[in-house]
Amino acid sequence: MEPLPERPLTLAQIQEYVAKMEEERGFSDSTLVEQTLKPAEETGEVCKAVRKRAALGMDPTSAVGGLAEELADVLIYLAAIANREGIDLSQALRAKEAVNENRIWTSTGSR
């Protein structure tokens, strides 16, 4: 695969890259269910990376990547799920924010 460019990417460009990457690496046959479980696992790794950065107690034998690396993993899996379902993440974000604009928010961010 060609390396990603050094400039910021759109969600569409990320989805396109992930589709090509999955095809090249042999992951494109993973089912929706398989791909949907992976972000939950990666989110746990994001939490571990935050615990590590905050110097909170954690299992010393636990392998923890950096926060940026773990967030990138979550983004890759989200794009992979969206690709399998034909979802344009940019449009999904716009639609969701249109709904959110009509919600009443509290200072804690709850709905």
Side-chain angles (χ1 to χ4, degrees):
M1 284 213 58
E2 289 185 33
L4 287 165
E6 289 297 321
R7 59 181 162 66
L9 300 172
T10 66
L11 286 173
Q13 290 169 321
I14 292 167
Q15 283 188 251
E16 182 180 332
Y17 175 83
V18 169
K20 289 177 184 174
M21 178 266 298
E22 284 199 300
E23 187 67 37
E24 184 175 291
R25 297 179 187 172
F27 301 143
S28 59
D29 291 336
S30 296
T31 67
L32 177 64
V33 171
E34 290 170 326
Q35 289 303 88
T36 301
L37 295 174
K38 291 175 183 176
E41 296 168 8
E42 292 298 335
T43 301
E45 293 180 19
V46 167
C47 293
K48 285 182 182 180
V50 169
R51 288 182 69 80
K52 181 179 177 181
R53 285 175 65 120
L56 298 175
M58 56 186 296
D59 181 352
T61 63
S62 182
V64 182
L67 182 56
E69 177 184 342
E70 301 305 343
L71 288 170
D73 285 342
V74 170
L75 180 59
I76 289 167
Y77 285 122
L78 289 176
I81 293 166
N83 288 346
R84 277 168 179 68
E85 291 298 296
I87 295 169
D88 175 334
L89 284 173
S90 294
Q91 183 55 38
L93 178 60
R94 283 185 200 92
K96 180 60 178 174
E97 278 302 294
V99 170
N100 287 343
E101 288 297 320
N102 296 316
R103 290 187 175 166
I104 297 172
W105 300 89
T106 67
S107 62
T108 61
S110 346
R111 301 170 198 94

